[in-house]
Amino acid sequence: MVSCNIRCQPLLDVRQNSRASGPRAAHQVASATGTAERPRADVAPGQVADWPQLAQDLDSKSPLEIIDHALATFGDEVAIAFSGAEDIAVIEYAHLTGRPFRVFSLDTGRLDKETYELFDRVEKHYSIQIEYTFPDAQETMDLVRAKGMFSFYEDGHQECCRVRKVRPLRRQLKTLKAWITGQRRDQSPGTRASVAVVEVDPAFEGTSGGPGSLVKYNPLAGMTGKETWNFLRVMDVPVNELHSKGYVSIGCQPCTRPVLPNQHEREGRWWWEDAGGKECGLHSGNVSAGSAEQDGEAGAERDLWPEGKVQALSREELSSLASAESRKQATMVVLYAPWCQFSQAMEESYNELAEQYAARGSDVRIAKFQADTDRQFSTKTFGLQTFPTLVMLPRSTSGYIKYPSERRDVETLDLWIKSVAGR
């Protein structure tokens, strides 16, 4: 277990003296010890608490309170996953609780020099030792010998991430009862919009093994990027030097690049791939309750957008629109799967978009097509790779335009439609 015995104070003293600011900053905590009735950590997590209810109870709490709950509940059997980017905020909050805490990091062997330098500075700043986890040497060697150093540019990042990140993470988590991540809902509106502040991990297993054996805390889920950076600046903590060079979301060196003004932060990751698939597998619970290495089509019981202004298109209607040389109106279509949480996450915003266009009398139609029922058609016609995929069928022209961004909020979708449809 790693302790933070240099700068720590008891939690109540920290609250009185914290200089942090912002709506979720440390000094606003009222009672970190009274957030919820804590389950016993010596019993399987799925049996000791109503975790969905606890998630609701903690959702309005500060990150400090949420992390304090995790550390008080699980002690040295919970650890912080640190990737070298904004996860430093999680470490700082853990430090502010005054409790001992553990930190682990996945060293994929492909990280930037600046990331390794940050690891060293963090260890010295908090007087801790990060527990490094590495990919299996033989498995990594077999992959590189068979496919080369940069196979992910040709066949997608999933295989490399599975070898260098997912499987090492799986081994690490098997030694824990809970883990703490730095996920935020605004990091990727298409894939992380519904991240809970605490949940029974649907994808990975803990010490006791089996479903429900691991709890996952996401204490920054409700924070925005602006709030997080305000906290980091005020607390004057070490940050990755790559942030000053235009990098926002930081991963492995070959798969990360700076983002341009007004680009979403996740667009700097795996930029050569379709925007909808940018989850490396570490948080595959965001996608489904199934395996981290399967997309689990055993589906939801209800369809998406069953009512409202989003128009359902049959295959025949969509095929006719796709092949038309000229169209009477522009049509925005989401190719979705009702079981896919990426698709579920955009249900509210897409429905609101359709209502706005209907209210203003626009001739742009907002539509949907359940593409998992006919993937071959969707792939051949629209290049479907992941769910959801958004395409525009412009008015008075042939072909289609694929929506390239991970941002699926109403404002961004509206701006994009206006830029390509002129309405």
Side-chain angles (χ1 to χ4, degrees), residues 10 34 47 71 80 112 115 120-121 195-196 230 249 328 331 343 351 359 362 376 384 396 404:
Q47 300 174 359
L71 298 177
I80 297 168
D112 287 278
T115 299
D120 181 65
R121 285 188 286 126
V195 168
N230 180 57
S249 180
K328 295 182 179 180
T331 301
S343 300
N351 192 60
S362 172
Q376 185 175 3
L384 175 72
S396 302

Side-chain angles (χ1 to χ4, degrees), residues 309 311 330 332 349-367 392 410-423:
K309 303 299 182 181
Q311 300 181 31
M332 175 83 155
S349 61
Y350 197 67
N351 192 60
E352 182 179 342
L353 180 76
E355 291 179 351
Q356 288 186 10
Y357 270 67
R360 70 176 70 149
S362 172
D363 66 351
V364 176
R365 176 169 49 177
I366 308 299
M392 171 64 72
V410 176
E411 181 180 5
T412 304
L413 290 172
D414 183 35
L415 288 172
W416 185 78
I417 291 173
K418 290 176 180 176
S419 69
V420 298
R423 300 284 177 174

Side-chain angles (χ1 to χ4, degrees), residues 24 31-39 49-71 73-74 185 195-199 215-223:
R24 289 181 176 268
S31 176
T33 59
T35 56
E37 182 179 349
R38 294 192 176 101
D50 183 347
W51 293 100
Q53 181 60 52
L54 181 60
Q56 292 184 34
D57 295 341
L58 292 179
D59 194 62
S60 61
K61 305 298 182 181
S62 72
L64 182 63
E65 290 175 286
I66 298 167
I67 292 177
D68 187 65
H69 184 280
L71 298 177
T73 301
F74 292 98
R185 292 169 187 145
V195 168
V197 296
V198 62
E199 62 183 336
V215 171
K216 181 179 183 180
Y217 285 84
N218 305 298
L220 307 186
M223 292 184 72

Side-chain angles (χ1 to χ4, degrees), residues 101-295:
F101 61 92
R102 295 171 58 187
V103 178
F104 74 89
S105 186
L106 305 177
D107 184 350
T108 65
R110 306 298 295 269
L111 303 179
D112 287 278
K113 175 179 70 72
E114 290 86 349
T115 299
Y116 290 115
E117 291 172 345
L118 176 64
F119 289 160
D120 181 65
R121 285 188 286 126
V122 166
E123 288 184 320
K124 292 175 180 176
H125 184 81
Y126 293 102
S127 190
I128 63 174
Q129 289 183 331
I130 298 173
E131 302 169 21
Y132 297 102
T133 298
F134 301 90
D136 180 80
Q138 184 65 51
E139 191 174 20
T140 306
M141 183 171 65
D142 290 343
L143 173 63
V144 173
R145 285 184 175 181
K147 293 192 171 183
M149 284 287 185
F150 302 100
S151 60
F152 38 83
Y153 289 143
E154 298 176 2
D155 56 16
H157 72 274
Q158 286 81 6
E159 183 178 25
C160 184
C161 282
R162 188 160 54 246
V163 170
R164 294 181 180 270
K165 297 174 73 173
V166 178
R167 289 174 182 164
L169 176 66
R170 194 180 297 279
R171 292 196 302 269
Q172 176 71 23
L173 294 179
K174 283 286 289 182
T175 69
L176 301 170
K177 289 185 176 179
W179 62 311
I180 306 171
T181 86
Q183 287 192 107
R184 300 194 321 272
R185 292 169 187 145
D186 75 334
Q187 284 175 323
S188 183
T191 62
R192 298 186 177 183
S194 59
V195 168
V197 296
V198 62
E199 62 183 336
V200 175
D201 197 304
F204 294 102
E205 298 179 2
T207 305
S208 60
S213 60
L214 183 71
V215 171
K216 181 179 183 180
Y217 285 84
N218 305 298
L220 307 186
M223 292 184 72
T224 64
K226 182 178 180 180
E227 290 173 335
T228 303
W229 274 100
N230 180 57
F231 176 71
L232 294 175
R233 283 192 292 266
V234 170
M235 300 307 291
D236 192 26
V237 299
V239 296
N240 198 316
E241 292 297 329
L242 289 174
H243 290 306
S244 65
K245 302 176 182 179
Y247 292 78
V248 181
S249 180
I250 300 173
C252 292
Q253 187 277 331
C255 304
T256 306
R257 69 177 183 181
V259 295
L260 298 173
N262 295 319
Q263 275 189 296
H264 191 269
E265 61 186 77
R266 296 290 286 182
E267 293 185 61
R269 301 284 291 277
W270 307 300
W271 63 91
W272 64 93
E273 297 181 9
D274 179 81
K278 295 184 180 179
E279 286 295 322
C280 65
L282 300 189
H283 304 292
S284 57
N286 299 349
V287 183
S288 70
S291 165
E293 298 177 14
Q294 299 174 355
D295 66 4

